[in-house]
Amino acid sequence: MPGTNLTRDEAETRSGHVSVASYDVHLDLTGDGETFGSTTTVVFASADRASTWLDLVAPEVSEVTVNGTALDPQTAFDGARVRLSGLAEQNEVRVMARCSYMTTGEGMHRFVDPADGQTYLYTQFEVPDARRVFAVFEQPDLKARFTFTVDAPESWLVVSNTQAAVEPSRDGVRCWQFEPTPPISSYVTAICAGPYHVVRSEYQGAHGTIPLAVYCRASLAEHLDADEILDVTRRGFAFFEDLFDHPYPFSAYDQVFVPEFNAGAMENAGCITYRDEYLFRSRVTDAAYERRAETILHEMAHMWFGDLVTMRWWNDLWLNESFATWASVLAQVEATRWRQAWTTFASAEKLWALRQDQLPTTHPISAEIRDLQDVEVNFDGITYAKGASVLKQLVAWVGRDAFVAGLRRYFRRHAWGNTTLRDLFDELEAESGRDLSAWEQEWLLTAGVNTLRPVLEVADNAGAPRYAYAAIDQEAASEHPTLRSHRVAIGLYDRGPHGLTRRESIEIDVTGSRTEVPHLVGLAAADLVLVNDEDLTFTKIRFDSTSLDTLERHIGDLGDSLARSLAWTGLTDMLRDAELPARRFVALVLSGVGRESDLSVVQTLLAQGRVAVETYSDPAGRDVLRRRWATALSTLAHEAEPGSDHQLALVRAWSAATSAPEDLEEISGMLDGSAHIPGLVLDRDLRWHLLQRLAIRGRADDTDIAAALAQDRTSAGERQADLARAARPTSQAKQEAWDAIMEPGKLTNAAMEATLAGFAPPEQVDVLRAFAQQYFDAVMSVWRERTFHTAERIITGLFPRVVVSQEVVDQARSDADRPDTPWPVRRMLLEGAADVERALRAQACDAAG
Ligand SMILES: [Zn+2]
């Protein structure tokens, strides 16, 4: 990707010279499927008339006019930038270009629906891809008013950031004239166009009425549960308008479910895009509805924090994302039916954050972002999950009332502007009276996670054991030695007639390497001591031997869902750190998962159990463990309550785990109707899941996959078939998948995602071993030839993680260390190596223990 980078220094220099008033962007979407017409007129001031440039990535520029004078496009345009010279104090520049439709989900994505042959378009601009659609000063602090005009086929709807006036159609073409936006950054502008299905509604709130609309492809209309989506939307508006004490800043709220989307969703101002896998065509568990609601509320929070007030540069991306994540979980807990959302947060987001924070490539939350490459690789577990954990802590630190009051001042003071973290801290410090600089130094400017470990001495006085000494030890990894200040609760849990229940919780401040806890001395020893009870801080936790023993026997008796989730996260972390052998972890999961009520925790545990069996267990004992895992899951799946979410989750896990001939017979029978599990509905996606499991085991071939696809001629069906084909266990099937992935332009981003997802099941390590060297040979050409998202997806997705060996670790490290390896590639290789090295250590632990 040469030539398309932008450094922070360049951006700062440009915003020193330039202030933009407006863009008029005219797009002609009526032509062929390769390119579209794009004409931009930008009005801006140049204080010193210094030459500058517009960003534009396009195959062809036919006109560049500066204040009425034509420049030669051949010399002004280099493929990524349009050089502007001859500037006055006030300027009007016009650029005419042909831009490319993309199939990678970056810029203007074009998709043809196999269900009905209809074409759909949408844009995705974060971080630097508005320039693939129009000429633009592409940096967040050059806000401007955008006026979009779009010519489109008459049968289409066009959606953008504002409302449109539509002209009568002429010669089959309709012109959509959108109102000017308020001052916004280019990365949150958007255009969606196509024969979208729409459901319209409105929200009546304290500050007036907001028009609402939900869009999806025509072929998905039957799966659009607009009532549920709009219900979450209205609850969100009521909650946020009150919390932020600021009206919704845009004129309408359109939510567009789009195909082949790379992320979960995007917070375009007033025009949210979501991956349309969020419209459920088959039965999913309530965890999926919970996750979707979190996403809806996350994007909505960005309308204020991100779109109304915007980071000056990408180094504050973490704050943007962490705020939206924190605000969305808070809204879920306080305004929707998912009152347990902090439990999900503790189980899913924190595991993600912990994993990322222990990679060799971890970084401070507030990272130095030198250029666009830096920010692209930073959409990670530090930016989203650790940042949100730490922000939750900050709220506790300054107090919720002061935090909210500071936030309200921040929105009032900086509306439509750009800010840095300091601007927010100024308001929080003013409201709370607390100096946040020490907190910032500990939590935002240093990387790495601490471990809190209880140190307990028990004196047994005539059969009544009591604590004689109690302390919390704090540790840090040698590469990131910072010890921090933690507000921590310590929960004491006892076994009794109502299970494992909390007797007492003590809050203390932990600082330095050892903090004594005199409050505990003299108290009766507990069956379980849970450090970080209530999840107040971001830390790894460990258990004393009594507590570990209690968990191994009775974790299912722990009644409180947040406490259970914290315990599971601690145990998973011990597995990953080679402190708990895989087979003991698997036994723990099997003892607890059947009694776990929280679906998101159930699904996390089933996934972690599978990793423990397939990756972290001693290879010499793996077949025995596999059988134990599969047999136990079979029992759980067949005994689960008919029709329940648990049943669905367990059947999926069991069918993925088993290789027993009688089980595979049963699964085949479920597909042909000769076997069934009471209460289980075999809808399309469950059928695909089962067929893919058979394909992995060599029990379903091309013909079976083609037959299944004939029953499901949809884009989702095609992707399921891609996954199934790539998952077949033969060298030939792997080579076909490999060749398709490696040929530029062969697969769309969604087909790529599915093929990668099927390519490397851990059970197939013998056939996959041959591809490890091919991978290392191909990395640099993938990086050079593909756009960022595609390159990242391939380099991360094909890393030979299932080939757990020192050779893979050594080769990845030596390739990463070559002087010509670009930083993002180096990062991906080092992260792959760290995963494999962790698996090697865990396997050794399992073999020894
Ligand atoms: Zn976000």
Side-chain angles (χ1 to χ4, degrees), residues 126 265-267 298-299 302 317 320-322 324-325 379 384:
E126 194 177 23
M266 176 66 205
E267 69 269 25
H298 174 114
E299 304 311 325
H302 274 312
L317 174 70
N320 194 35
E321 294 308 340
S322 299
T325 298
F379 285 84
Y384 280 81

Side-chain angles (χ1 to χ4, degrees), residues 228-249:
E228 164 95 10
I229 292 162
L230 289 166
D231 178 59
V232 174
T233 303
R234 287 193 198 91
R235 288 168 184 275
F237 273 120
F239 183 76
F240 288 137
E241 286 200 324
D242 178 54
L243 184 74
F244 302 153
D245 192 30
H246 195 293
Y248 170 65

